[in-house]
Amino acid sequence: MDTAAATEKQLLADIDRLREEFTQTQDLYREVCVLLFFRYGMTPTANKLYQLVRKGSMTAPAEALNKFWEDLREKSRVRIEHPDLPEALKLQLVT
């Protein structure tokens, strides 16, 4: 068995395990996004998600994918705080 086939087989086994753990459609799609992106290094797409999960309508993977990217952007956003600045100056920076 070549590497691509072995990877595909492992991916499908991982998705089967996720199906047992996550019964809600959106939760399952979200977890498959995480699996594809972080474990397998694949960029999830709505079409790929639907091919793998085949649950819900075509809008379900698209919604989960949008939420996944939104959450990822939010978590990776750098916030610069100014703890050593005087309070008056901090307020000017915020407004």
Side-chain angles (χ1 to χ4, degrees):
M1 185 181 309
D2 68 354
T3 308
T7 301
E8 184 76 13
K9 186 176 179 181
Q10 182 61 48
L11 173 61
L12 295 174
D14 288 342
I15 291 172
D16 284 341
R17 280 192 291 282
L18 288 174
R19 282 180 195 278
E20 295 171 11
E21 188 177 343
F22 298 94
T23 57
Q24 296 295 316
T25 302
Q26 284 298 305
D27 294 340
L28 178 59
Y29 275 117
R30 181 193 65 237
E31 292 302 316
V32 173
C33 283
V34 170
L35 182 73
L36 287 172
F37 191 72
F38 290 109
R39 182 162 184 194
Y40 290 94
M42 300 173 167
T43 302
T45 64
N47 193 35
K48 181 70 171 175
L49 289 171
Y50 190 76
Q51 288 173 357
L52 292 169
V53 176
R54 296 218 177 266
K55 189 173 179 184
S57 67
M58 271 304 290
T59 59
E63 288 172 7
L65 187 60
N66 286 336
K67 180 83 169 96
F68 169 75
W69 289 123
E70 183 181 303
D71 290 347
L72 193 59
R73 278 191 299 275
E74 183 60 33
K75 289 177 182 174
S76 64
R77 185 167 285 134
V78 175
R79 289 176 179 75
I80 300 173
E81 302 291 328
H82 303 283
D84 55 341
L85 292 177
E87 196 61 38
L89 188 54
K90 283 185 200 177
L91 292 173
Q92 287 179 346
L93 291 174
V94 173
T95 57

